[in-house]
Amino acid sequence: MSSSPVLLWFRQDLRLSDNPAVAAAAQSGAPILALFILEEGSEDHRPLGSASRWWLHGSLDSLARDIANRGGRLLLRRGNPSRILPELLAHSGARSVLANQRFGAPGSADATLFESLRADGIAVRLFNGTLLHHPDALSTKGGTPFKVFTPFWKALSATLTGDLAPAAPLSAPERLEAPAPLPEGDTLEDWDLLPVHPDWAGGLRGHWTPGEGGARERLEAFLKGPVIRYGEGRDLPGQALTSRLSPHLRFGEISPNQVLTACRRVQRPGAAAFLREVGWRDFCHHLLHRNPDMADRPLRSEYTRFPWAEKEDAATALAAWTRGRTGYPIVDAGLRELWQTGWMHNRVRMIAASFLIKDLLVPWQEGERWFWDTLVDACPANNAAGWQWVAGCGADAAPFFRIFNPVTQSQKFDPKGLYLRRWLPELAALPDHALHAPWTASPLELTSAKVRLGETYPQPIVDHGQARVRALAALKSLSSSAV
């Protein structure tokens, strides 16, 4: 074994299997200085939200144990990579860095750092361990980036079959020997990633198992049953028919290639529809690659002039929305699910986002920031692209005038109220026909269900019909190019 180590930098790829950077490090025959940096002090890096910090703790703990079982050790450091990497390279004698690429603002910062390292004679090898296809390698026939998903998915799908198909997923190396002595590092406890006062993460612990093993178990469970009904069932929040793989993909505990391979192996009904959603994830990262500020600036520039509600009114509305106290059950149930589990069903995400943006006229960036803090799957690409999609200002977005009616959406996708009763127990005794709109219940029905509107459950904070008219008027005030 070579005495000079290689530096293996983990970022959004917290796994050992099907990780090309890990495989290259193991194949080098050199000791492996495995590193994770809790990035701070860089304007290009967005601090993780509270739920993501909780997940990161569990994911790193799992990764560290997996590396230790193979004879290695995961070094933890905190700070700016532009300072930490040169310091570790000098200290360890390593002359090469291996990593999987990132996209968006972190990717831009990486490019500057890696250029500097190369100028100092450090060999830098980068891999695609995050997406099905690198953003720079997929474009329209005219050579421009895709802005519409359907042709993007058609082009991406063509690269996933025949001679262009990805190679079989890589196995995890049997050994990952660490150099001796290993530089000193932090402990996970040093980072205070877990909530303490108060410890609000009980619901997260009850619903999730961060780490590569948890990702593998989640995929296997999905492919054994729920995937069969995924095509029609993914819109039904009251039934467990989605994969819930999103946080595992976000932290790179499983690769999209592993998901693709597993889905094709089982050939179950619903797998094709599910893989299309994996393709949407790639699409969002392609957008982020070229628009690093996507969480703040609309892709359609005319929407920077959108006339939102006055700041005081927007703040009051946002507070009610975040607490799940809007008076619209499907919206409130979604926000309660989010707060208690760190996750929200995708159909409900769209309904809740539409309500915040269009019924309440709160800027979409406020909702994006709340999701960023509370979602365990707060992906910089998917989260921002999803909010821009609902707001009508993103790529291939739903037009702004498509305003979800929270009552009819609830009746259509949760007709028996399974989802509503789970997250809004104060309304559980209402009959189905009144559950979706409690203000339509008769006095007898309210009394029998022990519901007191305005006390045990809020009255609607807006009238949807009036709010819809107001939203369309706001849209009309933009220039005709925004319509």
Side-chain angles (χ1 to χ4, degrees):
M1 178 178 286
S2 171
S3 59
S4 177
V6 297
L7 193 153
L8 172 61
W9 186 14
F10 287 94
R11 288 96 67 78
Q12 297 168 348
D13 54 343
L14 306 183
R15 67 182 185 277
L16 298 183
S17 61
D18 201 39
N19 188 322
V22 170
Q27 291 166 5
S28 72
I32 298 169
L33 180 56
L35 171 70
F36 182 87
I37 301 173
L38 183 62
E39 297 185 45
E40 295 178 342
S42 171
E43 294 181 358
D44 298 298
H45 187 78
R46 185 180 188 183
L48 293 176
S50 300
S52 292
R53 286 169 65 86
W54 175 87
W55 189 285
L56 178 64
H57 181 103
S59 189
L60 288 175
D61 182 62
S62 174
L63 179 65
R65 284 186 277 107
D66 288 344
I67 292 175
N69 289 337
R70 289 166 172 80
R73 181 181 153 197
L74 179 63
L75 179 66
L76 302 178
R77 286 291 186 90
R78 182 177 192 163
N80 193 324
S82 64
R83 174 187 61 81
I84 292 174
L85 255 65
E87 175 189 312
L88 286 175
L89 289 165
H91 181 275
S92 67
R95 303 302 296 167
S96 63
V97 174
L98 293 87
N100 290 307
Q101 290 175 288
R102 298 188 292 186
F103 305 101
S108 300
D110 289 347
T112 302
L113 171 58
F114 292 146
E115 182 180 354
S116 174
L117 292 178
R118 289 184 174 113
D120 289 337
I122 302 298
V124 178
R125 295 179 62 192
L126 301 177
F127 306 87
N128 175 25
T130 304
L131 303 177
L132 290 170
H133 211 76
H134 192 284
D136 289 333
L138 201 64
S139 60
T140 66
K141 292 181 179 179
T144 59
F146 282 98
K147 295 182 179 180
V148 179
F149 174 67
T150 297
F152 169 85
W153 177 234
K154 182 178 180 180
L156 177 60
S157 297
T159 71
L160 304 178
T161 58
D163 294 339
L164 297 176
L170 299 163
S171 299
E174 293 184 1
R175 299 294 294 171
L176 293 170
E177 298 285 352
L182 195 70
E184 291 189 5
D186 301 333
T187 68
L188 269 178
E189 289 69 27
D190 292 334
W191 290 355
D192 296 325
L193 297 174
L194 300 178
V196 180
H197 302 297
D199 180 5
W200 46 262
L204 276 61
R205 287 192 294 270
H207 285 84
W208 304 102
T209 304
E212 187 171 0
R216 185 168 51 250
E217 291 173 2
R218 182 75 69 177
L219 176 60
E220 290 173 356
F222 175 62
L223 295 180
K224 283 180 180 177
V227 70
I228 296 173
R229 294 186 55 203
Y230 182 81
E232 75 280 3
R234 63 191 174 120
D235 281 322
L236 305 177
Q239 301 184 44
L241 297 174
T242 59
S243 75
R244 296 170 71 89
L245 278 169
S246 51
H248 298 289
L249 283 164
R250 185 263 181 267
F251 285 91
E253 298 167 352
I254 194 169
S255 75
N257 187 33
Q258 287 174 303
V259 175
L260 172 72
T261 302
C263 285
R264 287 181 168 173
R265 183 178 67 247
V266 299
Q267 295 186 337
R268 293 284 186 91
F274 176 64
L275 287 177
R276 183 180 173 91
E277 296 305 313
V278 178
W280 174 261
R281 176 181 178 273
D282 255 59
F283 181 61
C284 294
H285 279 83
H286 279 234
L287 295 175
L288 182 68
H289 180 53
R290 295 173 176 85
N291 303 278
D293 58 355
M294 195 165 67
D296 297 308
R297 295 187 59 81
L299 299 184
R300 294 180 62 182
S301 60
E302 63 268 26
Y303 277 83
T304 59
R305 303 188 300 274
F306 192 87
W308 301 106
E310 296 294 330
K311 286 188 176 181
E312 185 174 337
D313 293 338
T316 300
L318 178 64
W321 181 84
T322 58
R323 293 196 304 268
R325 300 285 295 172
T326 69
Y328 284 86
I330 190 66
V331 175
D332 294 341
L335 272 298
R336 307 269 188 97
E337 179 186 28
L338 173 60
W339 183 250
Q340 295 180 44
T341 72
W343 189 82
M344 188 191 298
H345 188 278
N346 187 61
R347 167 57 59 173
V348 185
R349 292 189 199 199
M350 291 189 287
I351 299 168
S354 177
F355 187 83
L356 182 72
I357 296 167
K358 300 170 183 180
D359 285 62
L360 303 180
L361 288 188
V362 174
W364 61 267
Q365 293 93 333
E366 296 290 346
E368 193 278 341
R369 283 190 279 270
W370 182 252
F371 274 22
W372 180 260
D373 191 45
T374 55
L375 280 171
V376 291
D377 65 1
C379 168
N382 287 44
N383 193 42
W387 278 92
Q388 292 219 32
W389 185 88
V390 175
C393 60
D396 200 14
F400 187 92
F401 57 76
R402 182 185 177 191
I403 301 174
F404 284 145
N405 182 318
V407 175
T408 57
Q409 287 281 309
S410 182
Q411 292 168 334
K412 180 177 180 180
F413 295 111
D414 189 33
K416 297 297 183 182
L418 300 175
Y419 182 76
L420 299 187
R421 288 189 170 92
R422 179 177 183 185
W423 298 111
L424 302 174
E426 66 268 40
L427 300 180
L430 283 174
D432 290 350
H433 73 87
L435 182 61
H436 307 279
W439 60 91
T440 65
S442 69
L444 180 58
E445 289 171 331
L446 291 172
T447 300
S448 299
K450 298 182 180 179
V451 174
R452 297 186 301 279
L453 293 179
E455 297 180 31
T456 61
Y457 186 74
Q459 294 276 6
I461 60 174
V462 292
D463 175 276
H464 173 69
Q466 296 175 3
R468 184 177 185 279
V469 171
R470 183 179 66 158
L472 293 176
L475 175 65
K476 191 174 182 180
S477 71
L478 290 179
S479 65
S480 58
S481 63
V483 179

